[in-house]
Amino acid sequence: MTDFEKIKAYYNVFNEWGRLGNPEGRLEFELSILIITSHLPQKAEILDLGGGPGRYTIELAKLGHSLHLADLSQTLLDEARKRIDELEIENVKSITQINAVDLSFYGDNSFDAVLLFGPLYHLTNETERFSCVKEVNRVLKPNGLVFASFIPYLTGAIGVVGRMFYFPDQVSVETLKRVFEQGIFNNLADRGFQEGYYPTSDELASLFNENGFSKILLRSIRGWGSNREEQIFKLKTDDPEKYEVVIELINQTADDPSIIEMCSHAIYIGQKNR
């Protein structure tokens, strides 16, 4: 079973708001917003599940959608509430501490869309993953949309190899074997990323298919722009035309399976079956 206390402790000290402000996270955030808004209906009722300090909630509320923010970490939700109040953001209807495997706080058919940006990074137990996706399906309206980000298998596994070299107290030989065999990472230390789940694209798509969704899109978010973010944003200032071409080409190739499996975060968009 997933150790949720470890996850909460990790996010109590990790700067999740800042992660989406550095070049890597900024490119992820900007491309994700474009992907999300290109599929949303106007003035959607949205559950931002695992939304942490509220970056997506704030941005989507600014665009006129109605948001409900939920997360496991009360620390991150307190940060979100402070930022929402300071920015005088409207359309945020609720901010609630919730475990993504149990959405009983919300009624059936409540939302046009659910953002699932976070929980699937951490749910190491298959039963928990099924419970999470079933609950997302339940709270969505007929034909509602789920936007789920995940860390692909090879990206996650290779990342743990690096962690083994730089932080050997976090990764044993047995830990490394389990990551490559099952896509599950259990950090041996109390610092660093905790409780990792790294599925293949097929595994992720099957999870949603088996729980009442039809796939609309599955793609890498940053694509081959991963690890080139600083240079890409420099183009935005120095050569805007070239920047636009780079972003267009990232988007054109983002659904290539080899790019999905190797390039940072990916996103699945699914529609609830009637």
Side-chain angles (χ1 to χ4, degrees):
M1 302 297 286
T2 302
D3 189 333
F4 293 104
E5 293 305 313
K6 275 194 165 189
I7 297 170
K8 284 193 284 188
Y10 171 68
Y11 284 109
N12 282 345
V13 297
F14 182 73
N15 183 6
E16 179 64 17
W17 182 275
R19 182 186 78 81
L20 293 175
N22 64 33
E24 294 84 358
R26 180 183 166 197
L27 185 59
E28 175 188 326
F29 178 74
E30 291 186 5
L31 289 174
S32 294
I33 286 292
L34 290 174
I35 295 166
I36 294 165
T37 54
S38 69
H39 289 83
L40 281 177
Q42 291 186 345
K43 297 187 180 300
E45 194 85 11
I46 302 170
L47 172 61
D48 186 2
L49 180 58
R55 268 195 180 266
Y56 287 96
T57 285
I58 289 170
E59 187 66 22
L60 292 170
K62 286 179 179 178
L63 295 174
H65 301 290
S66 297
L67 273 295
H68 298 259
L69 175 61
D71 199 89
L72 182 68
S73 169
Q74 187 61 52
T75 299
L76 293 183
L77 292 175
D78 290 343
E79 179 183 357
R81 187 179 297 278
K82 180 179 179 182
R83 292 182 183 276
I84 289 166
D85 289 345
E86 288 176 349
L87 294 170
E88 298 182 344
I89 300 297
E90 299 180 354
N91 302 333
V92 179
K93 294 186 174 180
S94 66
I95 300 175
T96 311
Q97 185 181 26
I98 279 176
N99 188 315
V101 304
D102 179 6
L103 304 183
S104 55
F105 182 80
Y106 306 108
D108 297 353
N109 307 315
S110 295
F111 304 104
D112 299 298
V114 173
L115 299 191
L116 195 63
F117 278 28
L120 290 180
Y121 303 165
H122 298 290
L123 295 177
T124 59
N125 179 271
E126 183 179 40
T127 300
E128 294 166 345
R129 294 192 292 272
F130 270 68
S131 294
C132 173
V133 177
K134 283 181 180 177
E135 281 287 85
V136 168
N137 184 286
R138 180 185 64 78
V139 302
L140 278 171
K141 297 175 183 177
N143 299 317
L145 299 174
V146 60
F147 300 84
S149 65
F150 65 102
I151 302 172
Y153 166 71
L154 285 177
T155 299
I158 293 169
V160 173
V161 173
R163 191 175 293 272
M164 178 185 68
F165 290 128
Y166 291 104
F167 308 105
D169 61 321
Q170 299 182 16
V171 183
S172 67
V173 170
E174 290 73 22
T175 304
L176 191 63
K177 286 181 178 179
R178 189 179 188 204
V179 171
F180 275 87
E181 291 169 359
Q182 302 178 33
I184 301 298
F185 171 56
N186 299 114
N187 193 329
L188 299 177
D190 291 330
R191 62 188 179 87
F193 188 83
Q194 299 288 333
E195 302 294 89
Y197 168 56
Y198 312 127
T200 65
S201 297
D202 288 344
E203 180 183 355
L204 195 284
S206 293
L207 171 65
F208 283 91
N209 182 63
E210 292 171 23
N211 287 285
F213 288 94
S214 296
K215 184 182 76 173
I216 293 176
L217 177 71
L218 201 161
R219 57 161 284 178
S220 172
I221 296 176
R222 285 181 258 163
W224 52 263
S226 295
N227 302 317
R228 299 175 178 87
E229 292 86 358
E230 287 191 22
Q231 295 92 331
I232 290 171
F233 279 119
K234 190 171 187 300
L235 283 178
K236 192 172 187 178
T237 301
D238 298 347
D239 193 337
E241 183 178 354
K242 188 176 289 186
Y243 169 81
E244 293 298 331
V245 170
V246 166
I247 296 301
E248 180 182 351
L249 292 174
I250 287 173
N251 287 328
Q252 282 181 10
T253 57
D255 61 353
D256 184 294
S258 60
I259 289 178
I260 294 172
E261 299 303 336
M262 290 292 292
C263 288
S264 187
H265 298 75
I267 184 170
Y268 167 95
I269 303 177
Q271 185 172 49
K272 177 178 176 177
N273 300 329
R274 281 186 171 272

